[in-house]
């Protein structure tokens, strides 16, 4: 069981175990705003509801440079598992500017790609192939990318994640 942690300004911060969330609540560092009904936790000092969403009592400053690391899985997820060239189902990623020509492993240079397009394109640029990308690749944004674990989220988290998007 996991719990969404919100900053004092209702900004999603992290996903933690319900035990960690309960410790924050018991130490008056957070308040429960959404509960899991029907399955309380019995402690030596009382009964506690299992928290689904908690909000911190004090604002925690987060660095503005919270960048999402580039991964194969992340590129496929950003592009909805669709090829950046033909739009079919993608299972690989492609460097728009090939690595052999100085292309970087960056959000702006990687796109999801189907096996067919990846093999045909090979070590060439889309301009050399006379191909066009279906979209301009860019870094992902929003709480679904900065807060790990929200893609397999609890329905009770939705209103709080929607505020941050």
């Amino acid at each position: 069981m996991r719990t969404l942690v919100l900053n004092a300004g209702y900004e999603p911060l992290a996903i933690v175990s319900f035990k960690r969330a309960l410790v924050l609540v018991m130490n008056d560092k957070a308040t429960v705003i959404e509960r899991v009904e029907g399955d309380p936790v019995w402690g030596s000092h009382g009964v506690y509801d299992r928290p689904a969403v908690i909000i911190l009592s004090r604002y925690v400053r987060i660095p503005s440079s919270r960048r999402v690391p580039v991964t194969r899985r992340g590129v496929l997820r950003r592009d909805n598992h669709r090829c950046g060239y033909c739009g079919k189902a993608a299972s690989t990623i492609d460097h728009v500017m090939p690595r052999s020509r100085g292309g970087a492993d960056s959000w702006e240079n990687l796109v999801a790609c189907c096996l067919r397009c990846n093999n045909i394109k090979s070590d060439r640029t889309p301009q050399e192939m006379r191909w066009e990308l279906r979209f301009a690749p860019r870094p992902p944004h929003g709480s679904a990318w900065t807060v790990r674990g929200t893609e397999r989220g609890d329905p009770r988290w939705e209103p709080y994640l929607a505020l941050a998007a």
Side-chain angles (χ1 to χ4, degrees), residues 32-55:
V32 177
I33 55 176
E34 293 280 341
R35 297 167 168 72
V36 176
E37 297 295 326
D39 196 12
V41 176
W42 295 84
S44 59
H45 297 291
V47 180
Y48 299 93
D49 289 322
R50 288 182 188 263
V53 180
I54 61 172
I55 186 165

Side-chain angles (χ1 to χ4, degrees), residues 1-158:
M1 176 144 299
R2 299 171 313 143
T3 302
L4 174 65
V5 179
L6 303 176
N7 210 342
Y10 284 83
E11 177 185 6
L13 277 183
I15 307 294
V16 298
S17 69
F18 94 89
K19 290 179 183 180
R20 174 73 180 129
L22 208 50
V23 168
L24 289 169
V25 171
M26 293 169 120
N27 290 327
D28 293 324
K29 294 184 179 189
T31 307
V32 177
I33 55 176
E34 293 280 341
R35 297 167 168 72
V36 176
E37 297 295 326
D39 196 12
V41 176
W42 295 84
S44 59
H45 297 291
V47 180
Y48 299 93
D49 289 322
R50 288 182 188 263
V53 180
I54 61 172
I55 186 165
L56 296 178
S57 303
R58 303 181 105 184
Y59 188 81
V60 176
R61 205 169 142 315
I62 12 177
S64 59
S65 63
R66 201 175 193 186
R67 291 196 36 94
V68 180
V70 180
T71 62
R72 178 181 177 281
R73 184 183 300 177
V75 171
L76 288 168
R77 187 173 145 217
R78 177 199 64 187
D79 298 348
N80 251 353
H81 293 271
R82 293 277 157 215
C83 180
Y85 302 111
C86 70
K88 292 182 181 172
S91 58
T92 65
I93 60 171
D94 178 60
H95 289 79
V96 178
M97 173 60 70
R99 274 194 292 189
S100 63
R101 299 187 188 187
D105 288 335
S106 66
W107 287 109
E108 295 83 3
N109 192 47
L110 292 169
V111 293
C113 193
C114 67
L115 279 171
R116 184 176 182 274
C117 288
N118 206 343
N119 287 332
I120 292 171
K121 182 178 170 285
S122 185
D123 198 24
R124 293 174 284 206
T125 66
Q127 291 80 15
E128 291 170 348
M129 297 294 296
R130 292 191 175 91
W131 286 1
E132 281 191 34
L133 281 169
R134 298 174 59 242
F135 58 90
R138 58 184 192 163
H141 60 280
S143 64
W145 292 92
T146 55
V147 180
R148 296 179 81 172
T150 56
E151 63 274 0
R152 300 176 315 272
D154 187 315
R156 288 176 286 247
W157 301 351
E158 293 303 322

